[in-house]
Amino acid sequence: MDINLIRRDTPGCSDKLFFNSAGGSLMPETVVKTMTDYLKQEEEYGAYGVADKNVHRINEFYEETAKFLLCKPYNIAFTTSSTDAYAKALSSISFKSGDCIITTNDDYISNQIAFLSLQKRMGVKVIRVKNLPDHELDLADLESLIKTHHPKLIAVTHIPTNSGLIQNVEGVGELCKKYDILYLVDACQSAGQLPLDVEKIGCDFLTVTGRKFIRGPRGTGFLYVSDKVLNRDMAPLFLDTSGASWIGFNEYKINKTAERFEHWETSIASLLGFTEAIRYANQVGLHHIENYNRSLAEKLRENLQHKGFQVLDQGNKLGSIVTFSYQDGTIGNLREMLKEKNVYFSVSAKHAALIDFTHKNVESVIRFSPHYFNTHEEIDQLIQLFS
């Protein structure tokens, strides 16, 4: 990694302390240039004509994303967000009353609400697997729940939005394979900060957003769909001309690829910008990013603890999300102080992590999310603000 080159490619990091990549990261310059150049073409020639001229560039999205996940281009669908991808994946599953979803205490708030909506509307049972004392998933409990409830779906968020915990998605995947259960992974916070191998994870669906650690534009995401799902002809509830062909007055035929999960109307400029962001991460190397980010996050956690703060991330493997509060579980005036010092960060409130924060007895936390354009010197500058 050439940190100096990366920072030159990231104009937004030069005049602030930016630690909010888990919210909306700073885009590389090439992402913005790609989008603005394409929009200028649309301004001059119109959306249809420009799209026709750029089919090969549009196809590069699927090729670059396949490299990112170590899969095939036909397994990838472009979406407008991780939540969009998640909803489409859920809608492709034929739930009925009495079916069961097993999830975790640390799944993302939007996912938890979606499960509860299925429970309220369709009578689907929602069961959460236990955590071990070290906050890791209790895989023995999960296997017991599988044997008892025969779930239609198991859903796990790889890295929660409110914690640096990296959940054992590979271990869950092994159980899903053993019992032939559909497996949905939310990689919204892990994609872009560590390598993802969908075959190793063993998932049937994996959802990602563009604006976080991949450093793409807002309004982008993608959905990975396994061969198993494609071969079973599973498709989202509401298809359009990207997903299916109208072959008779009362008949349609679904697309053979994961593009059946797309909608035809797409911001091509955003898709191409997202492609550049994925390409940039691929070129830097996800293993390099993971190792460098780990050093930043470890240094940040260690220094916050030395300053007397309560660091709230728990688990054997921790990622590049660092959450902390005062020892009494509050954040006091930290938000105002950091904003005054031109620090970019997020606040995670209890309602977004109801189970986890109830167990931790906190109402809200400060969330820092350093990324590979940050430096160790910036960590030092940040810590000095708490003196």
Side-chain angles (χ1 to χ4, degrees):
M1 277 180 50
D2 184 343
I3 186 64
N4 293 320
L5 174 61
I6 290 166
R7 287 179 68 82
R8 286 199 299 273
D9 289 342
T10 311
C13 71
S14 63
D15 61 347
K16 63 181 74 67
L17 291 176
F18 190 92
F19 294 102
N20 196 22
S21 287
S25 192
L26 299 178
M27 292 184 287
E29 199 167 28
T30 182
V31 173
V32 180
K33 185 177 187 304
T34 295
M35 295 175 68
T36 53
D37 287 351
Y38 188 86
L39 288 173
K40 291 297 290 184
Q41 291 181 58
E42 285 194 343
E43 177 186 40
E44 188 168 354
Y45 301 109
Y48 273 31
V50 178
D52 289 342
K53 293 178 181 178
N54 285 274
V55 170
H56 67 289
R57 295 180 65 199
I58 294 169
N59 288 335
E60 286 177 2
F61 164 76
Y62 304 96
E63 296 163 4
E64 206 64 47
T65 306
K67 294 178 190 176
F68 188 84
L69 295 181
L70 304 180
C71 65
K72 300 295 184 182
Y74 66 77
N75 294 117
I76 301 299
F78 176 78
T79 64
T80 59
S81 69
S82 182
T83 302
D84 174 36
Y86 209 89
K88 288 174 177 175
L90 285 177
S91 78
S92 73
I93 303 170
S94 300
F95 289 110
K96 60 182 185 296
S97 180
D99 283 341
C100 172
I101 296 173
I102 295 178
T103 187
T104 77
N105 292 322
D106 293 284
D107 254 54
Y108 182 52
I109 175 176
S110 294
N111 306 344
Q112 300 277 12
I113 291 172
F115 303 147
L116 295 175
S117 177
L118 285 169
Q119 179 176 268
K120 184 176 181 179
R121 180 170 295 193
M122 302 183 67
V124 174
K125 294 184 292 184
V126 180
I127 297 172
R128 299 182 182 91
V129 64
K130 294 178 182 176
N131 291 97
L132 295 168
D134 61 3
H135 213 75
E136 294 292 319
L137 290 174
D138 187 338
L139 295 183
D141 178 57
L142 175 57
E143 187 163 20
S144 176
L145 291 173
I146 290 171
K147 291 177 178 178
T148 301
H149 298 282
H150 308 288
K152 181 159 281 188
L153 174 71
I154 292 177
V156 177
T157 294
H158 196 182
I159 298 179
T161 189
N162 54 283
S163 164
L165 171 69
I166 302 175
Q167 301 212 87
N168 184 5
V169 290
E170 292 88 356
V172 175
E174 290 175 4
L175 289 174
C176 290
K177 182 177 180 180
K178 178 179 179 180
Y179 292 97
D180 192 23
I181 301 165
L182 288 170
Y183 183 26
L184 169 57
V185 172
D186 180 342
C188 187
Q189 294 289 12
S190 58
Q193 65 157 303
L194 47 85
L196 296 174
D197 182 339
V198 288
E199 290 297 324
K200 185 178 179 181
I201 293 171
C203 56
D204 295 295
F205 300 102
L206 183 136
T207 64
V208 168
T209 193
R211 65 180 161 86
K212 297 179 184 288
F213 288 97
I214 298 181
R215 306 177 61 200
R218 195 167 195 173
T220 61
F222 64 74
L223 172 66
Y224 161 80
V225 184
S226 71
D227 288 352
K228 180 174 79 174
V229 168
L230 295 176
N231 292 336
R232 290 181 181 181
D233 286 343
M234 295 172 61
L237 180 60
F238 296 108
L239 292 155
D240 76 357
T241 55
S242 273
S245 300
W246 194 16
I247 60 174
F249 287 1
N250 296 299
E251 188 178 4
Y252 65 85
K253 182 179 180 180
I254 61 172
N255 192 320
K256 292 182 178 181
T257 74
E259 291 180 57
R260 70 180 66 159
F261 286 85
E262 295 184 353
H263 285 153
W264 185 84
E265 184 54 50
T266 299
S267 168
I268 304 299
S270 298
L271 180 147
L272 295 180
F274 192 24
T275 304
E276 287 303 308
I278 296 168
R279 194 193 323 274
Y280 196 94
N282 283 338
Q283 289 174 347
V284 173
L286 274 301
H287 289 285
H288 294 309
I289 293 171
E290 178 186 28
N291 292 334
Y292 184 76
N293 279 14
R294 184 186 302 116
S295 70
L296 292 174
E298 287 176 352
K299 179 174 183 174
L300 183 51
R301 289 190 182 96
E302 181 180 341
N303 279 274
L304 286 169
Q305 288 174 329
H306 286 164
K307 289 293 182 180
F309 292 108
Q310 177 183 202
V311 176
L312 295 154
D313 308 309
Q314 299 174 355
N316 295 329
K317 292 178 64 180
L318 298 177
S320 201
I321 295 178
V322 179
T323 58
F324 70 101
S325 70
Y326 287 119
Q327 293 294 337
D328 64 359
T330 67
I331 60 173
N333 66 347
L334 289 173
R335 183 201 313 242
E336 291 73 22
M337 183 274 288
L338 291 167
K339 285 185 176 180
E340 288 176 3
K341 300 296 184 179
N342 205 25
V343 179
Y344 284 66
F345 63 99
S346 286
V347 173
S348 291
K350 186 175 182 178
H351 70 83
L354 197 57
I355 299 172
D356 184 43
F357 280 12
T358 297
H359 290 163
K360 290 176 178 175
N361 195 31
V362 293
E363 293 298 320
S364 59
V365 301
I366 300 293
R367 185 185 72 179
F368 289 139
S369 44
H371 207 10
Y372 65 97
F373 53 76
N374 290 122
T375 65
H376 286 267
E377 290 74 21
E378 287 181 315
I379 300 290
D380 293 335
Q381 294 174 40
L382 178 63
I383 292 300
Q384 289 174 8
L385 298 178
F386 299 109
S387 300

